[in-house]
Amino acid sequence: MMKRTVIYGGSFDPVHKGHENIINNLADRFDEVLVVPTYISPFKAGNKTASPKLRIKMLKSCEFKPNVKISTFEVRRNKCSYSIDTVRHFSSPNRKLYFAIGSEGARTLDKWFMADELKKLCEFYVIPRPGYDKTIVEGLTYADFVGMDVSSSEVKAAVAFGKHDTLVNAAVASIIDKNELYRDYKKFTDTYPLFDMKSERIEHTYRATVEGIKLAKRYDVNIDDCIIALIMHDIGKYVTEEKLEKMGIHVSCESLPPPCRHAEYGAEICSKYFGLKKEIVEAVRTHTTCGMNMDALAEIVALADYIEPARKFVGIDEVRAAAAIDLGLAIEKMLGNTIKYLQRYNKYIVPITIDVYRKYAEKNKGKFELWKSKK
Ligand code: DGI
Ligand code: FE
Ligand code: FE
C-alpha cells in the first residue's frame, strides 16, 4: 500500500496558528504529514531567532493529529539543506511524496536547486496565501484550502506589545515567555511610558505594525526596518518640545500645523535617542505629510498607518484595494483623500503634501486604467 506523504518544511520560528491550521488541514488530506523545521545558522540566533531545540520544543507542544510527525532531519544535519536532500531522505518505494510550498515558492520553482530531479521524486502541493498572487502555475497541484494570514514576523512584533498569545497557542506562548524569546523589539515599546504614549495610541501602533508587515512581505521590503519604523511612527504624538529639549533633542516645528508636528518629533527621537538608521528616521518623518523622496519603506509606513483595520476614513476601501496592487497608486489615493478632507474642514494643507500628490498622480497617469475602470 502506497502511503501518501506530504513534507511541510519551514523555520517555524515560532510555529503559529497559521502553521497549525495548515498542518491539520494536511493531516486530513494525506496519510502522513512530515513537519521538517529547517536548520538556521547559529550566527543568526539571538533575540530574533530561537535555537533549534526551542523551535522543536514549540512544535512538539502543539496538538497535532496522530499522522503528523516532526522530523529533526534538517536540524540534525547541522547545515542548510536543499529540498532535494530532504526529499531524497524521505523517498521510499512505499511512499508517494508530496512537497508543500507557498504561492511564492510556486512562482520561483524553476530556480530551485535540482528542480528537475525534485519534480521526478515528488509532486508539489501549493498552499495559497490569502491576498497573494493568484496566478496558477501549470503542472502543480493546488490545495483546496487557503492558508491563514499570519506570519512569524507578526508574532515577533506582537511580543513587543505583549499580544503574541493571540497568534500562537497557549503552550507556545508560555515557551516564548519562559525563555524570553523574540524580545528584540521590546526595547522600543518599553520606552513608550517615557514618551507619554497613551493606550489607544499603542493599540493603533500595533495594528499599523501588523499591516506594515503584510505590505513589506508583499513588496519585498526589509521587514525588520518596517517593524521598527511602525513601532516608532507615533512616538512623538504626546511629547512637548520642552520635554525633548531636556532630553537633548532640539526641534522646532513652527511652520508645521500641530497635527503634523509629531512626525518631526518622532523622527528626531528615532535619530537622537535611538540612533536608528536614516531610512527609518525618514519614514517616520514623512508618515503624516508624505515627502518627495519616499522609498518603499516610507510609502509602506504612511500607508499602513492610514489603512490599519480600525481606520474608517471616507474612501479607505479604495486605498486598501490599491495597496494590494501598487504602492504608488495607493499613495495617490491616500493623499487625494487627505487633501479633500483637509479642504472640506478648511484646514491649512502643508504644501509638500500637494506636491507629493501631484508627483504620484503624474507618475501613475495612464497606468492602472483597467483597475480604475472596474471601480
Ligand atoms: O498620527 P495618526 O493619527 O496615526 O495619523 P497621521 O500621522 O497621518 O496624522 C493624521 C493627522 O494629521 C490628521 O488629523 C490629519 C492631519 N494632517 C495630515 N496632513 C495634514 C494634516 N493636517 C494639516 N493641518 N495639514 C496637513 O497637510
Ligand atoms: Fe502619526
Ligand atoms: Fe499613526
Side-chain angles (χ1 to χ4, degrees):
M1 203 17 210
M2 284 278 262
K3 252 196 202 171
R4 290 175 71 254
T5 298
V6 63
I7 297 172
Y8 181 52
S11 54
F12 302 106
D13 188 26
V15 58
H16 53 65
K17 288 181 179 175
H19 294 128
E20 283 186 77
N21 174 264
I22 287 174
I23 291 167
N24 285 326
N25 268 305
L26 291 174
D28 287 338
R29 288 160 177 80
F30 291 88
D31 298 319
E32 185 181 38
V33 184
L34 300 172
V35 176
V36 191
T38 53
Y39 170 81
I40 301 176
S41 156
F43 298 109
K44 268 184 80 185
N47 281 328
K48 281 193 188 103
T49 301
S51 68
K53 217 176 127 194
L54 286 170
R55 284 186 291 130
I56 289 164
K57 190 173 176 180
M58 290 189 276
L59 272 169
K60 290 196 168 156
S61 78
C62 298
E63 281 171 34
F64 296 128
K65 297 185 176 160
N67 58 336
V68 174
K69 298 186 180 70
I70 292 149
S71 161
T72 56
F73 169 71
E74 289 194 12
V75 168
R76 268 185 291 124
R77 292 178 83 213
N78 245 352
K79 59 174 180 188
C80 290
S81 297
Y82 289 108
S83 303
I84 187 80
D85 304 325
T86 307
V87 168
R88 274 187 186 141
H89 175 78
F90 289 112
S91 282
S92 91
N94 61 353
R95 271 183 177 142
K96 163 120 183 71
L97 274 186
Y98 291 81
F99 195 86
I101 58 176
S103 339
E104 315 89 277
R107 265 179 285 116
T108 54
L109 203 55
D110 286 335
K111 297 191 193 80
W112 287 28
F113 182 62
M114 311 236 333
D116 291 334
E117 179 74 16
L118 255 176
K119 282 178 194 163
K120 280 182 210 147
L121 292 174
C122 65
E123 201 170 298
F124 289 97
Y125 189 78
V126 187
I127 305 168
R129 263 204 196 219
Y132 267 70
D133 189 355
K134 291 184 183 67
T135 330
I136 302 281
V137 180
E138 248 180 88
L140 304 179
T141 310
Y142 281 75
D144 59 343
F145 63 92
V146 177
M148 279 163 59
D149 198 8
V150 190
S151 67
S152 295
S153 301
E154 282 172 40
V155 178
K156 292 172 191 182
V159 169
F161 293 86
K163 289 189 186 289
H164 47 296
D165 60 346
T166 61
L167 304 174
V168 300
N169 78 42
V172 173
S174 101
I175 295 171
I176 291 176
D177 293 339
K178 273 204 198 96
N179 296 279
E180 304 187 355
L181 298 178
Y182 316 121
R183 293 282 172 103
D184 233 54
Y185 304 118
K186 218 173 159 298
K187 62 173 177 281
F188 299 110
T189 49
D190 280 347
T191 66
Y192 282 172
L194 180 64
F195 296 100
D196 304 310
M197 281 283 274
K198 293 197 179 131
S199 62
E200 322 91 74
R201 183 62 40 187
I202 297 172
E203 295 296 318
H204 153 72
T205 301
Y206 174 59
R207 290 189 299 267
T209 305
V210 172
E211 195 63 46
I213 292 169
K214 296 186 202 299
L215 290 172
K217 282 185 182 280
R218 164 75 178 79
Y219 292 104
D220 238 338
V221 166
N222 185 302
I223 292 177
D224 191 47
D225 290 351
C226 186
I227 292 174
I228 296 171
L230 276 155
I231 287 180
M232 299 306 290
H233 85 279
D234 276 340
I235 193 81
K237 202 82 179 182
Y238 307 102
V239 279
T240 59
E241 289 186 14
E242 295 74 57
K243 184 160 182 173
L244 288 175
E245 194 71 54
K246 281 191 196 130
M247 299 172 101
I249 302 169
H250 177 74
V251 275
S252 147
C253 300
E254 264 146 52
S255 63
L256 279 177
C260 303
R261 292 180 188 167
H262 73 284
E264 204 61 44
Y265 298 160
E268 291 311 304
I269 293 167
C270 286
S271 161
K272 305 273 159 48
Y273 189 88
F274 292 97
L276 291 172
K277 62 175 166 188
K278 194 168 162 274
E279 290 89 334
I280 294 177
V281 171
E282 292 316 307
V284 172
R285 196 185 312 281
T286 54
H287 90 265
T288 304
T289 58
C290 287
M292 286 307 264
N293 297 304
M294 288 199 288
D295 57 12
L297 173 69
E299 292 175 340
I300 286 178
V301 170
L303 276 170
D305 179 35
Y306 189 82
I307 65 172
E308 61 95 341
R311 299 287 208 188
K312 291 189 173 67
F313 305 123
V314 180
I316 193 166
D317 287 332
E318 202 188 2
V319 183
R320 288 195 177 118
I325 292 171
D326 183 85
L327 288 176
L329 180 66
I331 295 276
E332 178 194 334
K333 301 278 165 204
M334 173 180 81
L335 290 178
N337 283 351
T338 302
I339 291 168
K340 255 190 252 161
Y341 161 86
L342 293 168
Q343 276 170 338
R344 171 149 21 96
Y345 292 97
N346 230 341
K347 294 195 183 163
Y348 170 76
I349 304 171
V350 181
I352 193 96
T353 301
I354 297 168
D355 293 343
V356 180
Y357 172 71
R358 290 204 179 113
K359 175 185 154 177
Y360 279 84
E362 188 60 37
K363 206 175 74 181
N364 296 335
K365 221 182 228 166
K367 284 161 79 183
F368 315 110
E369 289 312 321
L370 201 65
W371 185 80
K372 283 177 193 162
S373 69
K374 270 194 276 180
K375 293 280 127 185

